[in-house]
Structures are given as C-alpha cells and as structure tokens.
Amino acid sequence: MNRHRLSPLAVPLAVVLLSLSGACRPQAGGGPEAPPAQAPAWALAIHGGAGSLPDDLPAARREAYERSLAEALTLGQVILDEGGSALDAVEKVVTLLEDDPLFNAGRGAVFTADGRITFDASIMDGRDLSAGGVGFVEGVRHPITLARRVMQKTPHVLFVGRGAEAFAREQGLEFMPAEWFWTERRREQWERWKREHAGTGGKAAALAPPAAGFGTVGAVALDRAGHLAAATSTGGLTGKAWGRVGDSPIVGAGTYADDRFAAISCTGTGERFMVRAAAHEVVARMRHAGESLERAVHAVLDEELSPGDGGMIAVSSRGEIVLHFTTPSMLRGAADATGRFEVALR
Ligand code: GLY
Ligand code: GLY
C-alpha cells in the first residue's frame, strides 16, 4: 500500500525537519520487516481509524488529517524522547485525538441509533498486565483518562454506563455538555444512517463495515525503560444500538500490551475483533508460535479476520513498528528514536 509522506507545507517546521530526517522503512503492507540491528530506545505508533477515504478527498481535509496525526505523534515523541513512560505517552496522545473533532472519539464521535454520543476506551500497561476500560459512557471529555483511573484506582478492569460516569465524577474528571461533542459531519452521517436503516433497531449498524464510521483512535508505545503500553478510544459505529459496546474497551480484543512481546491497538468492526480476541491473539502467536510481530499481525488481519474488517498498530518489545489494515485506508503515524517520523492515510 502506498505511504504518503507528510506534506511539508501542512505542518510546523520542527515536524517537517523530523519528517525529512526520518529513515523511511518498509511498513506492514509491504514484505516482512527485518528486526532493527539495534532496538530503538523508544517507539510510537498511532491510528485515527481504519475505513475508506473517498478518492476525491479534498486536499484541505487530507492536510487536516495529516496535521492532526503529526501533532499527536509529536506530543508522544516529546514525552518518550524525554524519558516519559509509554503509559503517559499513549494516554496523552489519545486525549489529544479525543479532543480533535476529526476523529471518532471524544469530540467528533459518531451518533448512536437514538442520536446520542457514547464512548468506549481502554488502556493497558505492559509492565504488569494491569488494564482499565470504560464502555458506553456519556459526557466524559477524556474516556481514556477514565479508563486509566479504572486501572489505577480500582481493583476492577471494566466499568460501564452510569456507574462509569459516577466513578468519573468521583475522580473529578471533566464533563462536557452533549453539544460540545457534536459535529455537523457526524450528524449528517447519522441522518443518512437513519434513512438507510429505518426499522432495523440498530442491528444493521453493528454488522455494517466501518466505512462510514472512520476514526477510532489508538496509540502504542515502547519507552526508554523498555516498557510497553497501548490505548484505544472510540465512539463506536454510527447508528450503534443502545447498549452496544465494541472491541475498543475490551482488553484482549481492541487493546493489549505485554512487555515481553508487544502492544497493540485495533480499529475496525468491533464485533469481528472481539470474537477473535484479536489484540491478544497477536501476542499469543508471538508467545506460543514464536512468530515475529510482523507475521503475527498479518496472520490475524489477513488470515483470521476477513478483508475489510479493519486494522492494527503494534510495537514490539524490540521497538519494531507494524501498521497494517485490510480496509482501503487507515489514518496512522509512526515515530521512533532513530528519527523515523511519518504519517499516512492510505
Ligand atoms: N468505526 C470503526 C473504527 O474506526 O474502528
Ligand atoms: N472498533 C470500534 C468499534 O467497533 O466500536
């Protein structure tokens, strides 16, 4: 698949310099990648969702995606380069993408069948396999931060709905009014969905490919101390049924991190990733079959899942980065301590 290097005009100078100095390595989508001779001291990959960008995507919109991805990548790069933790990097990067109306997470997320916006998110710490997730929460500005609180402040892994919101209040997390999350583009997608799926009770939405629901966000990182972390956040699928929760808050399905192997964040039609325990399956293949990260990600997406189901970003304990998808596009970016810095859409 083609990679699109960052347009120099679209981003601040510092980012351009990094982009130009970055070694251009083959990514997933090309052939198997040899492990780097020396593991980078840190590595980071991000995604803004798998889906299908229209062929006639206006240049301004393409540049806006590239700019947003580059900003998120830069934020994580600074944290990791200064010795910050993988866990902080993935959380902070995801909160930035949650605030960005271009992506289907936090502000700018898709509408449920009945016109609400609800969030699913999870985060995992590869050091000790601790993890936290939230499902079907409303009004919380940063669902990924709530997921981290579940991980760090409770003995539990997953909180949903009203209970998760009550816990967010207890933790003093920021809430925003419903309108703050709304965007005209998502409202139009919802109106179109209503016309196309009238009378299905949302069932069709859960089964539909994620083409229209582009934009789940995620980040995976390896830090200088050798620790891995993964984070994923989403509004789910346009027209999702009341109570429907996808793979993103489910540890092992949409998100997984284990310091010994890899950190993974998924995007796509959640139900498909859930039944395969897709993120964990990558680690399982590395652990039990001795597969490389590259091979494991390809096996899960290309052989276990079906074409068009979605994509994954992953980083191994050796700093290898794999970005792979079976949809026509996946908004994504990768950076590491060797100077690699690139974003791509298709
Ligand atoms: N809305 C599906 C995805 O981007 O993950
Ligand atoms: N992958 C996001 C969802 O299905 O909700």
mmCIF file of all heavy atoms in Angstrom, residues 47 104 110 120 206 208 210 213 215-217 232-238 240 244-249 254 266-274 309, ligand 2:
data_model
loop_
_atom_site.group_PDB
_atom_site.id
_atom_site.type_symbol
_atom_site.label_atom_id
_atom_site.label_comp_id
_atom_site.label_asym_id
_atom_site.label_seq_id
_atom_site.Cartn_x
_atom_site.Cartn_y
_atom_site.Cartn_z
ATOM 1 N N HIS A 47 -3.038 5.488 15.520
ATOM 2 C CA HIS A 47 -4.001 5.397 14.422
ATOM 3 C C HIS A 47 -5.191 6.295 14.688
ATOM 4 O O HIS A 47 -5.494 6.630 15.833
ATOM 5 C CB HIS A 47 -4.438 3.953 14.141
ATOM 6 C CG HIS A 47 -5.337 3.355 15.186
ATOM 7 N ND1 HIS A 47 -6.671 3.671 15.297
ATOM 8 C CD2 HIS A 47 -5.098 2.447 16.156
ATOM 9 C CE1 HIS A 47 -7.209 2.975 16.281
ATOM 10 N NE2 HIS A 47 -6.270 2.229 16.830
ATOM 11 N N ASN A 104 -13.241 9.835 15.386
ATOM 12 C CA ASN A 104 -14.397 9.223 16.032
ATOM 13 C C ASN A 104 -14.047 8.777 17.452
ATOM 14 O O ASN A 104 -13.999 7.592 17.768
ATOM 15 C CB ASN A 104 -14.875 8.040 15.175
ATOM 16 C CG ASN A 104 -16.000 7.278 15.832
ATOM 17 O OD1 ASN A 104 -16.675 7.792 16.730
ATOM 18 N ND2 ASN A 104 -16.213 6.051 15.397
ATOM 19 N N VAL A 110 -19.114 9.512 16.604
ATOM 20 C CA VAL A 110 -20.336 9.210 15.843
ATOM 21 C C VAL A 110 -21.561 9.129 16.755
ATOM 22 O O VAL A 110 -21.444 9.003 17.969
ATOM 23 C CB VAL A 110 -20.185 7.880 15.070
ATOM 24 C CG1 VAL A 110 -19.048 7.971 14.054
ATOM 25 C CG2 VAL A 110 -19.972 6.708 16.024
ATOM 26 N N ASP A 120 -16.342 4.315 24.265
ATOM 27 C CA ASP A 120 -15.677 3.108 24.765
ATOM 28 C C ASP A 120 -14.169 3.375 24.711
ATOM 29 O O ASP A 120 -13.689 3.935 23.723
ATOM 30 C CB ASP A 120 -15.916 1.909 23.837
ATOM 31 C CG ASP A 120 -17.386 1.522 23.681
ATOM 32 O OD1 ASP A 120 -18.202 1.897 24.538
ATOM 33 O OD2 ASP A 120 -17.697 0.833 22.693
ATOM 34 N N ALA A 206 -24.497 -2.491 13.699
ATOM 35 C CA ALA A 206 -23.460 -3.266 14.357
ATOM 36 C C ALA A 206 -22.790 -4.222 13.375
ATOM 37 O O ALA A 206 -21.660 -4.629 13.568
ATOM 38 C CB ALA A 206 -24.053 -4.042 15.519
ATOM 39 N N ALA A 208 -22.541 -3.548 10.049
ATOM 40 C CA ALA A 208 -22.061 -2.837 8.868
ATOM 41 C C ALA A 208 -20.552 -2.673 8.925
ATOM 42 O O ALA A 208 -19.975 -2.554 9.994
ATOM 43 C CB ALA A 208 -22.719 -1.468 8.783
ATOM 44 N N PRO A 210 -17.001 -0.694 8.744
ATOM 45 C CA PRO A 210 -16.776 0.589 9.384
ATOM 46 C C PRO A 210 -16.534 1.743 8.418
ATOM 47 O O PRO A 210 -16.100 2.795 8.829
ATOM 48 C CB PRO A 210 -15.525 0.325 10.218
ATOM 49 C CG PRO A 210 -14.812 -0.744 9.489
ATOM 50 C CD PRO A 210 -15.853 -1.599 8.845
ATOM 51 N N GLY A 213 -17.833 4.934 9.533
ATOM 52 C CA GLY A 213 -17.566 5.276 10.932
ATOM 53 C C GLY A 213 -16.096 5.485 11.220
ATOM 54 O O GLY A 213 -15.654 5.329 12.335
ATOM 55 N N GLY A 215 -12.489 6.343 12.198
ATOM 56 C CA GLY A 215 -11.885 7.253 13.144
ATOM 57 C C GLY A 215 -11.638 6.848 14.570
ATOM 58 O O GLY A 215 -11.215 7.678 15.354
ATOM 59 N N THR A 216 -11.890 5.593 14.976
ATOM 60 C CA THR A 216 -11.415 5.156 16.293
ATOM 61 C C THR A 216 -9.955 5.582 16.415
ATOM 62 O O THR A 216 -9.231 5.577 15.422
ATOM 63 C CB THR A 216 -11.513 3.612 16.384
ATOM 64 O OG1 THR A 216 -12.877 3.249 16.430
ATOM 65 C CG2 THR A 216 -10.791 3.070 17.608
ATOM 66 N N VAL A 217 -9.517 5.948 17.616
ATOM 67 C CA VAL A 217 -8.122 6.359 17.759
ATOM 68 C C VAL A 217 -7.371 5.406 18.686
ATOM 69 O O VAL A 217 -7.983 4.761 19.550
ATOM 70 C CB VAL A 217 -7.996 7.810 18.285
ATOM 71 C CG1 VAL A 217 -8.775 8.763 17.396
ATOM 72 C CG2 VAL A 217 -8.422 7.931 19.734
ATOM 73 N N THR A 232 -6.772 2.728 23.394
ATOM 74 C CA THR A 232 -7.723 2.826 22.286
ATOM 75 C C THR A 232 -8.961 3.566 22.784
ATOM 76 O O THR A 232 -9.389 3.347 23.922
ATOM 77 C CB THR A 232 -8.145 1.408 21.808
ATOM 78 O OG1 THR A 232 -6.987 0.598 21.645
ATOM 79 C CG2 THR A 232 -8.917 1.472 20.504
ATOM 80 N N SER A 233 -9.532 4.435 21.938
ATOM 81 C CA SER A 233 -10.733 5.179 22.346
ATOM 82 C C SER A 233 -11.621 5.392 21.133
ATOM 83 O O SER A 233 -11.128 5.659 20.028
ATOM 84 C CB SER A 233 -10.314 6.530 22.942
ATOM 85 O OG SER A 233 -11.429 7.271 23.388
ATOM 86 N N THR A 234 -12.935 5.276 21.322
ATOM 87 C CA THR A 234 -13.843 5.362 20.166
ATOM 88 C C THR A 234 -15.254 5.807 20.557
ATOM 89 O O THR A 234 -15.640 5.682 21.722
ATOM 90 C CB THR A 234 -13.951 3.979 19.471
ATOM 91 O OG1 THR A 234 -14.605 4.123 18.224
ATOM 92 C CG2 THR A 234 -14.724 2.984 20.314
ATOM 93 N N GLY A 235 -15.966 6.287 19.559
ATOM 94 C CA GLY A 235 -17.403 6.490 19.694
ATOM 95 C C GLY A 235 -18.152 5.288 19.140
ATOM 96 O O GLY A 235 -19.379 5.240 19.189
ATOM 97 N N GLY A 236 -17.411 4.314 18.590
ATOM 98 C CA GLY A 236 -18.042 3.096 18.058
ATOM 99 C C GLY A 236 -18.511 3.294 16.629
ATOM 100 O O GLY A 236 -17.832 3.947 15.845
ATOM 101 N N LEU A 237 -19.650 2.725 16.313
ATOM 102 C CA LEU A 237 -20.170 2.759 14.944
ATOM 103 C C LEU A 237 -21.378 3.666 14.851
ATOM 104 O O LEU A 237 -22.215 3.683 15.761
ATOM 105 C CB LEU A 237 -20.582 1.343 14.516
ATOM 106 C CG LEU A 237 -19.518 0.246 14.635
ATOM 107 C CD1 LEU A 237 -20.104 -1.098 14.236
ATOM 108 C CD2 LEU A 237 -18.303 0.574 13.772
ATOM 109 N N THR A 238 -21.483 4.398 13.749
ATOM 110 C CA THR A 238 -22.659 5.244 13.525
ATOM 111 C C THR A 238 -23.921 4.386 13.594
ATOM 112 O O THR A 238 -23.984 3.315 12.986
ATOM 113 C CB THR A 238 -22.586 5.893 12.121
ATOM 114 O OG1 THR A 238 -21.464 6.754 12.078
ATOM 115 C CG2 THR A 238 -23.847 6.695 11.824
ATOM 116 N N LYS A 240 -25.086 2.812 16.186
ATOM 117 C CA LYS A 240 -24.990 1.625 17.059
ATOM 118 C C LYS A 240 -26.200 1.592 17.996
ATOM 119 O O LYS A 240 -26.737 2.618 18.394
ATOM 120 C CB LYS A 240 -23.673 1.611 17.826
ATOM 121 C CG LYS A 240 -23.512 2.685 18.888
ATOM 122 C CD LYS A 240 -22.113 2.632 19.513
ATOM 123 C CE LYS A 240 -22.009 3.668 20.630
ATOM 124 N NZ LYS A 240 -20.661 3.720 21.239
ATOM 125 N N ARG A 244 -24.865 -1.083 22.888
ATOM 126 C CA ARG A 244 -23.833 -1.809 22.124
ATOM 127 C C ARG A 244 -22.437 -1.311 22.507
ATOM 128 O O ARG A 244 -22.163 -0.119 22.534
ATOM 129 C CB ARG A 244 -24.064 -1.628 20.620
ATOM 130 C CG ARG A 244 -23.065 -2.393 19.720
ATOM 131 C CD ARG A 244 -21.855 -1.557 19.370
ATOM 132 N NE ARG A 244 -20.946 -2.219 18.419
ATOM 133 C CZ ARG A 244 -19.756 -1.750 18.081
ATOM 134 N NH1 ARG A 244 -19.309 -0.620 18.593
ATOM 135 N NH2 ARG A 244 -19.001 -2.393 17.230
ATOM 136 N N VAL A 245 -21.561 -2.240 22.769
ATOM 137 C CA VAL A 245 -20.178 -1.920 23.075
ATOM 138 C C VAL A 245 -19.304 -2.735 22.122
ATOM 139 O O VAL A 245 -19.597 -3.905 21.854
ATOM 140 C CB VAL A 245 -19.870 -2.264 24.557
ATOM 141 C CG1 VAL A 245 -18.388 -2.284 24.823
ATOM 142 C CG2 VAL A 245 -20.562 -1.270 25.480
ATOM 143 N N GLY A 246 -18.249 -2.124 21.594
ATOM 144 C CA GLY A 246 -17.392 -2.815 20.634
ATOM 145 C C GLY A 246 -16.133 -3.372 21.267
ATOM 146 O O GLY A 246 -16.090 -3.671 22.468
ATOM 147 N N ASP A 247 -15.103 -3.505 20.457
ATOM 148 C CA ASP A 247 -13.845 -4.102 20.920
ATOM 149 C C ASP A 247 -12.964 -3.134 21.704
ATOM 150 O O ASP A 247 -12.118 -3.565 22.487
ATOM 151 C CB ASP A 247 -13.041 -4.619 19.715
ATOM 152 C CG ASP A 247 -12.683 -3.502 18.723
ATOM 153 O OD1 ASP A 247 -13.548 -2.632 18.477
ATOM 154 O OD2 ASP A 247 -11.564 -3.502 18.196
ATOM 155 N N SER A 248 -13.170 -1.832 21.474
ATOM 156 C CA SER A 248 -12.201 -0.851 22.000
ATOM 157 C C SER A 248 -12.022 -0.870 23.522
ATOM 158 O O SER A 248 -10.904 -0.659 23.995
ATOM 159 C CB SER A 248 -12.567 0.555 21.525
ATOM 160 O OG SER A 248 -12.641 0.581 20.120
ATOM 161 N N PRO A 249 -13.081 -1.106 24.320
ATOM 162 C CA PRO A 249 -12.864 -1.134 25.775
ATOM 163 C C PRO A 249 -12.509 -2.511 26.303
ATOM 164 O O PRO A 249 -12.282 -2.666 27.504
ATOM 165 C CB PRO A 249 -14.232 -0.710 26.322
ATOM 166 C CG PRO A 249 -15.197 -1.279 25.343
ATOM 167 C CD PRO A 249 -14.518 -1.187 23.990
ATOM 168 N N GLY A 254 -9.607 -5.141 21.596
ATOM 169 C CA GLY A 254 -9.186 -3.918 20.916
ATOM 170 C C GLY A 254 -7.841 -3.391 21.380
ATOM 171 O O GLY A 254 -7.227 -2.561 20.695
ATOM 172 N N CYS A 266 -6.395 -1.806 18.066
ATOM 173 C CA CYS A 266 -7.147 -2.193 16.863
ATOM 174 C C CYS A 266 -8.168 -1.139 16.470
ATOM 175 O O CYS A 266 -8.619 -0.338 17.285
ATOM 176 C CB CYS A 266 -7.901 -3.498 17.112
ATOM 177 S SG CYS A 266 -6.849 -4.859 17.635
ATOM 178 N N THR A 267 -8.556 -1.183 15.212
ATOM 179 C CA THR A 267 -9.631 -0.341 14.695
ATOM 180 C C THR A 267 -10.378 -1.138 13.640
ATOM 181 O O THR A 267 -9.776 -1.911 12.903
ATOM 182 C CB THR A 267 -9.074 0.968 14.091
ATOM 183 O OG1 THR A 267 -10.098 1.562 13.278
ATOM 184 C CG2 THR A 267 -7.848 0.747 13.232
ATOM 185 N N GLY A 268 -11.679 -0.947 13.589
ATOM 186 C CA GLY A 268 -12.467 -1.674 12.595
ATOM 187 C C GLY A 268 -13.811 -2.080 13.154
ATOM 188 O O GLY A 268 -14.294 -1.472 14.117
ATOM 189 N N THR A 269 -14.406 -3.101 12.559
ATOM 190 C CA THR A 269 -15.720 -3.565 13.007
ATOM 191 C C THR A 269 -15.527 -4.381 14.284
ATOM 192 O O THR A 269 -15.065 -5.523 14.249
ATOM 193 C CB THR A 269 -16.367 -4.423 11.897
ATOM 194 O OG1 THR A 269 -16.351 -3.659 10.686
ATOM 195 C CG2 THR A 269 -17.805 -4.754 12.248
ATOM 196 N N GLY A 270 -15.875 -3.760 15.400
ATOM 197 C CA GLY A 270 -15.526 -4.297 16.709
ATOM 198 C C GLY A 270 -15.897 -5.751 16.927
ATOM 199 O O GLY A 270 -15.118 -6.519 17.515
ATOM 200 N N GLU A 271 -17.091 -6.134 16.489
ATOM 201 C CA GLU A 271 -17.563 -7.498 16.736
ATOM 202 C C GLU A 271 -16.587 -8.535 16.171
ATOM 203 O O GLU A 271 -16.370 -9.587 16.763
ATOM 204 C CB GLU A 271 -18.954 -7.690 16.113
ATOM 205 C CG GLU A 271 -20.090 -7.011 16.876
ATOM 206 C CD GLU A 271 -20.086 -5.492 16.771
ATOM 207 O OE1 GLU A 271 -19.355 -4.937 15.927
ATOM 208 O OE2 GLU A 271 -20.813 -4.841 17.558
ATOM 209 N N ARG A 272 -15.987 -8.228 15.041
ATOM 210 C CA ARG A 272 -15.051 -9.162 14.407
ATOM 211 C C ARG A 272 -13.787 -9.327 15.260
ATOM 212 O O ARG A 272 -13.254 -10.409 15.396
ATOM 213 C CB ARG A 272 -14.677 -8.643 13.015
ATOM 214 C CG ARG A 272 -15.873 -8.417 12.100
ATOM 215 C CD ARG A 272 -16.366 -9.687 11.477
ATOM 216 N NE ARG A 272 -15.268 -10.355 10.822
ATOM 217 C CZ ARG A 272 -15.184 -11.685 10.671
ATOM 218 N NH1 ARG A 272 -16.122 -12.464 11.144
ATOM 219 N NH2 ARG A 272 -14.143 -12.214 10.060
ATOM 220 N N PHE A 273 -13.325 -8.210 15.807
ATOM 221 C CA PHE A 273 -12.107 -8.244 16.625
ATOM 222 C C PHE A 273 -12.380 -8.903 17.981
ATOM 223 O O PHE A 273 -11.488 -9.521 18.569
ATOM 224 C CB PHE A 273 -11.555 -6.825 16.812
ATOM 225 C CG PHE A 273 -10.915 -6.288 15.561
ATOM 226 C CD1 PHE A 273 -11.682 -5.826 14.501
ATOM 227 C CD2 PHE A 273 -9.531 -6.275 15.423
ATOM 228 C CE1 PHE A 273 -11.091 -5.350 13.329
ATOM 229 C CE2 PHE A 273 -8.927 -5.796 14.260
ATOM 230 C CZ PHE A 273 -9.711 -5.340 13.218
ATOM 231 N N MET A 274 -13.617 -8.764 18.472
ATOM 232 C CA MET A 274 -13.946 -9.336 19.786
ATOM 233 C C MET A 274 -13.917 -10.861 19.746
ATOM 234 O O MET A 274 -13.344 -11.509 20.614
ATOM 235 C CB MET A 274 -15.325 -8.845 20.228
ATOM 236 C CG MET A 274 -15.324 -7.365 20.565
ATOM 237 S SD MET A 274 -16.975 -6.643 20.547
ATOM 238 C CE MET A 274 -17.488 -6.926 22.226
ATOM 239 N N ASP A 309 -12.175 -5.889 7.481
ATOM 240 C CA ASP A 309 -12.568 -5.833 8.892
ATOM 241 C C ASP A 309 -11.931 -4.663 9.637
ATOM 242 O O ASP A 309 -12.505 -4.156 10.595
ATOM 243 C CB ASP A 309 -12.196 -7.147 9.608
ATOM 244 C CG ASP A 309 -13.215 -8.250 9.339
ATOM 245 O OD1 ASP A 309 -14.303 -7.946 8.819
ATOM 246 O OD2 ASP A 309 -12.914 -9.419 9.656
HETATM 247 N N1 GLY B 2 -13.719 -0.644 16.592
HETATM 248 C C1 GLY B 2 -14.629 0.204 17.190
HETATM 249 C C2 GLY B 2 -15.945 -0.375 17.384
HETATM 250 O O1 GLY B 2 -16.324 -1.336 16.712
HETATM 251 O O2 GLY B 2 -16.651 0.115 18.204
#
